[in-house]
Amino acid sequence: MNRRKTRIGLRTRLVLAFLLVAAVSAGTTATLAYREARNAILQQAQDTAVSSFRERVQELATPLPVEPLSLQEQLRRLARQGNPHPWVVFAEYGSVRVSSADKPVSSVITPELRRAARAHPRGNFQRVDRNGTPWLTVGVPTVFQAGQTTRPTGLVLYAVMPLTDEEANIQAMLNAARDGAVPGLAVALVPALLSARSVLRPVRDLRKAARSMGDGRLDTRIQVRGSDELADLARTFNESSGELERTVGELRAAEARARRFASDVSHELRTPLAGMLAVTEVLDEDAAGLAPDTAAAVRLISAETGKLALLVEDLMEISRFDARAAELNTDEVDIAQTIRKTLKSRHWIDPAQVVTDLPDGIRARIDPRRFDIVIANLVGNALKHGSAPVVLRLRTEPYGEGAPGAAMATDAHDASLLPARLVTEVADSGPGIPADVLPHIFDRFYKADAARSRSAGSGLGLAITLENVRLHGGTIRAANGPQGGAVFTVEIPLTGTEATA
């Protein structure tokens, strides 16, 4: 099962990051404010209650031993004086338990508070939560003065005060902070969008400019706004694109001059070479009657003149490809007959030199002249740099493994309707092509043996072959056969009705 990755744009990420920062800032501020405000509210209520209760206990005069009814009346009077809220007051003296309420004992008063209140002359306090309700409990022992010392009487008073009002105020403050967070984030969304827009505008401009330059418009520039880092990036892009435009312009001009030079030189050489070839033909005819040294010189001049003529023709052909002036003049021909004409015109009809496997009846629409050049260059290259016999095979492939529609072809009729290709293989019996040479085999003027600076070939034959195959919309590849020897495979696309093997 393929899982598609959800793409999150830069704009969305910037807005989310902005909102996240705003939410974290607002949340942190609200949390700190809530904590401080809560502590302040509870501290104020606590300090007021503890201070007031201690004063009331010190003013209380209770005769000992304790009389429960009298003590209860005093506790009720003390409870009515509660500050900031009314208290419920409890008293413990030995086993006596008295309170200002109906119940003499409170579950809010903890054993820890009892121990702390008895141990300290000024008592102690504690905040307790029971069933979700917060309480403040204060325990203060009564003492009597004996000279300079004070002694506990054993009577301990406890004040219990609910903190529901304070808790309600704290909850209201929390609700207000929570309710204000959503509108705050909504308000923060506006500057987030504006900031994202201001940040992304140069990025979008840069993307459009880069795409425009990729399409070949090297004069593309970006409008520089402001003086921040993005503006510096735009300036750098403009400077780089300007330098690139200048460099590419110089390279194109140099390339055009080089092509024009090669074309002009080749064109200018054709006329004198034609005259030289005519002269060398006459000299070749009379070479047999000349002195041996003179005859050898004449034949050498004739051979070198022929090579020069071939080089000029190859340069002219390459110039036409570079200028995109090469055109196809197609005709529907029998491929096997066309190949036989090519071999016969070059006198490659000896089976010891060339072995053919050319089934008749394969017709295709090609440019016969350019296809003749392809076959002649490949066979000539195989004979020159490989070893005889050279095997030339011809076939058609209606479809290959993985070709569109191949899996749906159920019979020969279906297969004939699928895209087909004409395949021509030229294999020699030589040692093959070195591995380091294969990637460069179709490069112009490339020769496998660097020491062979002068050879019968111009180094343009395979490059011209490649261009002619491409002009037909086909491909050519070079490899080494399993039994050794170089194998060149040419594939030219056909329609289903052309291949009738």
Side-chain angles (χ1 to χ4, degrees), residues 125-179:
F125 63 89
Q126 186 180 34
R127 286 203 296 264
V128 182
D129 187 279
R130 285 289 183 269
N131 301 323
T133 302
W135 297 85
L136 175 64
T137 57
V138 184
V140 179
T142 61
V143 296
F144 64 90
Q145 191 76 24
Q148 297 296 325
T149 61
T150 57
R151 294 182 180 179
T153 63
L155 174 64
V156 183
L157 301 182
Y158 298 93
V160 177
M161 181 183 74
L163 298 175
T164 52
D165 291 346
E166 287 76 10
E167 191 67 25
N169 292 335
I170 295 172
Q171 188 62 39
M173 182 178 61
L174 180 62
N175 293 337
R178 183 190 59 196
D179 295 341

Side-chain angles (χ1 to χ4, degrees), residues 188-485:
L189 182 61
V190 176
L193 292 174
L194 294 177
S195 300
R197 180 181 179 184
S198 63
V199 170
L200 291 179
R201 184 188 294 113
V203 176
R204 286 194 297 266
D205 293 343
L206 182 61
R207 180 187 62 185
K208 293 178 181 177
R211 184 176 299 171
S212 178
M213 291 188 65
D215 293 337
R217 294 187 289 272
L218 299 181
D219 58 342
T220 303
R221 300 293 184 271
I222 300 176
Q223 182 179 358
V224 180
R225 302 182 180 90
S227 58
D228 54 8
E229 289 81 358
L230 292 174
D232 292 339
L233 176 62
R235 293 189 189 92
T236 303
F237 177 86
N238 290 340
E239 294 172 359
S240 301
S241 60
E243 184 65 21
L244 179 62
E245 182 182 14
R246 185 187 64 80
T247 303
V248 171
E250 292 178 355
L251 291 175
R252 287 176 176 173
E255 183 180 11
R257 288 193 300 269
R259 290 176 179 175
R260 183 65 179 175
F261 175 78
S263 177
D264 291 345
V265 169
S266 301
H267 188 271
E268 292 298 328
L269 286 175
R270 293 184 73 179
T271 300
L273 276 174
M276 292 173 64
L277 286 173
V279 173
T280 55
E281 288 179 2
V282 174
L283 291 175
D284 280 340
E285 294 176 358
D286 297 335
L290 299 175
D293 293 341
T294 304
V298 167
R299 292 188 180 96
L300 177 61
I301 292 174
S302 178
E304 293 300 322
T305 303
K307 293 179 184 178
L308 183 58
L310 290 176
L311 174 60
V312 169
E313 290 298 326
D314 287 346
L315 286 174
M316 291 292 293
E317 188 72 8
I318 285 291
S319 298
R320 282 190 286 270
F321 283 118
D322 289 342
R324 292 176 173 80
E327 296 180 352
L328 283 178
N329 296 313
T330 60
D331 189 15
E332 187 174 335
V333 298
D334 187 295
I335 301 300
Q337 292 181 6
T338 301
I339 294 176
R340 291 191 186 101
K341 289 180 182 178
T342 299
L343 298 179
K344 186 176 181 180
S345 65
R346 270 80 173 179
H347 306 289
W348 295 330
I349 57 177
D350 186 356
Q353 281 188 310
V354 180
V355 179
T356 60
D357 180 10
L358 307 174
D360 292 323
I362 299 178
R363 302 188 63 81
R365 180 166 291 278
I366 60 172
D367 185 327
R369 184 184 72 83
R370 296 189 180 279
F371 190 71
D372 173 80
I373 294 174
V374 170
I375 299 300
N377 283 346
L378 292 179
V379 175
N381 188 75
L383 290 171
K384 189 180 302 180
H385 302 294
S387 179
V390 174
V391 180
L392 196 159
R393 298 185 181 89
L394 175 69
R395 67 179 184 275
T396 57
E397 295 180 352
Y399 58 90
E401 184 178 355
M408 296 185 293
T410 57
D411 53 34
H413 175 70
D414 292 337
S416 67
L417 298 179
L418 293 172
R421 57 179 180 258
L422 177 70
V423 180
T424 308
E425 283 185 358
V426 177
D428 62 46
S429 303
I433 305 173
D436 60 331
V437 174
L438 276 174
H440 310 285
I441 197 69
F442 295 105
D443 293 351
R444 297 178 183 182
F445 300 106
Y446 182 81
K447 296 181 180 180
D449 186 0
R452 231 177 0 102
S453 59
R454 285 180 53 82
S455 64
S458 65
L460 293 174
L462 290 179
I464 292 175
T465 300
L466 173 65
E467 296 295 342
N468 278 310
V469 172
R470 284 178 176 174
L471 203 60
H472 282 85
T475 60
I476 182 172
R477 61 180 181 272
N480 290 314
Q483 306 300 326

